[in-house]
Amino acid sequence: MNATLITGASDGIGKAIAREFASLKHNLVLVARNEERLAALCEELRSKYRIQVQYIVADLTKPEAPGALFEECLQRTISVDVLINNAGKGSSGEFFKNDLEAELEIIRLNNSSLVALTHLFLPEMIRNKKGFIVNVASMIAFFPSPYMAVYAGSKHFVKAFTYSLTEECRPYGVNVLLFSPGLTTSNFMNTKANNNDWGKVLVQGSNTQTPEQVAKELVTAYKRNKTFHVSGSRNRVFAILAAHLSPGFVARSFAKQKRKQIGWKQFM
Ligand SMILES: NC(=O)c1ccc[n+]([C@@H]2O[C@H](COP(=O)([O-])OP(=O)(O)OC[C@H]3O[C@@H](n4cnc5c(N)ncnc54)[C@H](OP(=O)(O)O)[C@@H]3O)[C@@H](O)[C@H]2O)c1
């Protein structure tokens, strides 16, 4: 069976992407840690769209997880022709105060697992001269973001990796899309690492989209065979402008503004 595999499909943007691809009648493989939520979504999509939907439980921060996921797909004779690397997490706060293990987990999830899954599933797409990979980055990939330092770094990696991979894959007929949402009303900012004073200040004044709006833009970019898309028209303008400014200047101005907003002296 050919299928679209979506990581981080149990919630937020990934769940909305799953619903959109189900409506296009793609068979799906949904991946995340929460089995209950994955099973419920499988049931919903199977009965609504009469497609094949399976789930695989995986904690993608574990180094062995991408390989095990790939093997499980082989066992189930699933051929992944669309891979959507969406699972991701972040943290807010002063880097030196953040828990180191949690910071390293961001890199394992946002970068190591994305690279591993791409490396595992890409060869078959190349053999078939057909395939589509979506790497979900963020607006934050276009400028430095003090007080989200590791998350920003992880998404800059996704951007540089994807731009490069897009061109390596182009001659083989495999499309690679860098897809960058802005602030989205999911549980992303409600995690232990993000739900703090810094997290609240960092998102103040940001343009917000719903996961459904973001997923619709992703599907439109997919249908148009795009290799680059920033979700949300205001986000697009902002990302393009920010990318043309000096990163040092952007970082300094942003940090100053956010320290002022939070009343930083109290934290010294
Ligand atoms: N929300 C935003 O404002 C925003 C903005 C820009 C970019 N993004 C990016 O968009 C993507 C999706 O974010 P979201 O807003 O949908 O976040 P979310 O609502 O927190 O959902 C994250 C998804 O990833 C899964 N996940 C988390 N840790 C995992 C792990 N260790 N192994 C496997 N799956 C894991 C979660 O499921 P389980 O808990 O069941 O594992 C969930 O399905 C991320 O890459 C994020 O960086 C989000």
Side-chain angles (χ1 to χ4, degrees):
M1 157 186 111
N2 279 3
T4 293
L5 187 149
I6 305 164
T7 68
S10 65
D11 206 1
I13 296 171
K15 190 175 182 176
I17 294 171
R19 288 187 171 129
E20 285 295 327
F21 275 88
S23 76
L24 298 181
K25 298 276 183 193
H26 283 222
N27 296 320
L28 300 176
V29 180
L30 310 179
V31 179
R33 292 166 304 175
N34 188 313
E35 183 161 15
E36 212 176 304
R37 278 192 263 152
L38 286 173
L41 184 59
C42 277
E43 199 43 52
E44 172 197 317
L45 299 179
R46 263 188 224 123
S47 58
K48 193 165 174 191
Y49 296 104
R50 308 217 169 278
I51 51 172
Q52 294 194 49
V53 192
Q54 305 187 23
Y55 69 81
I56 299 174
V57 174
D59 179 349
L60 292 171
T61 60
K62 303 279 182 265
E64 65 282 6
L69 178 55
F70 179 71
E71 284 302 320
E72 188 60 33
C73 288
L74 287 182
Q75 287 287 321
R76 298 188 193 181
T77 59
I78 295 166
S79 170
V80 173
D81 55 0
V82 181
L83 169 65
I84 304 182
N85 286 309
N86 162 73
K89 62 178 179 174
S91 67
S92 307
E94 291 175 86
F95 168 69
F96 80 99
K97 291 182 185 170
N98 288 348
D99 177 66
L100 176 59
E101 193 47 34
E103 297 286 78
L104 293 173
E105 278 210 349
I106 294 172
I107 297 169
R108 284 184 209 123
L109 181 63
N110 298 6
N111 302 139
S112 301
S113 81
L114 177 145
V115 169
L117 289 173
T118 303
H119 196 262
L120 288 161
F121 286 105
L122 180 57
E124 194 190 345
M125 296 183 191
I126 286 180
R127 273 196 300 277
N128 295 339
K129 297 190 174 59
K130 187 173 168 287
F132 205 108
I133 297 175
V134 182
N135 288 338
V136 176
S138 166
M139 277 266 291
I140 220 171
F142 297 90
F143 43 87
S145 197
Y147 307 109
M148 267 198 173
V150 170
Y151 180 63
S154 78
K155 293 301 184 177
H156 275 70
F157 174 90
V158 173
K159 182 182 69 174
F161 172 67
T162 307
Y163 273 142
S164 307
L165 193 70
T166 299
E167 296 313 320
E168 287 189 29
C169 291
R170 198 187 288 277
Y172 293 103
V174 176
N175 197 87
V176 185
L177 164 65
L178 175 70
F179 183 79
S180 299
L183 184 64
T184 308
T185 52
S186 68
N187 281 319
F188 183 82
M189 292 304 295
N190 298 333
T191 58
K192 191 170 155 229
N194 268 331
N195 191 7
N196 56 42
D197 291 337
W198 281 106
K200 289 186 183 88
V201 157
L202 290 172
V203 299
Q204 261 176 33
S206 302
N207 179 45
T208 306
Q209 288 193 298
T210 63
E212 290 71 29
Q213 289 171 318
V214 172
K216 278 195 192 316
E217 290 203 30
L218 190 149
V219 163
T220 304
Y222 165 78
K223 284 180 178 166
R224 291 181 184 164
N225 250 351
K226 286 181 78 173
T227 56
F228 173 86
H229 187 76
V230 176
S231 186
S233 51
R234 277 177 62 189
N235 293 337
R236 269 194 293 286
V237 172
F238 191 77
I240 289 160
L241 285 178
H244 282 86
L245 295 171
S246 137
F249 169 76
V250 173
R252 201 159 51 247
S253 316
F254 186 84
K256 264 191 195 165
Q257 185 203 353
K258 294 303 166 186
R259 280 198 293 267
K260 199 170 159 195
Q261 279 174 266
I262 205 168
W264 184 68
K265 279 197 174 69
Q266 63 182 290
F267 291 95
M268 289 178 74

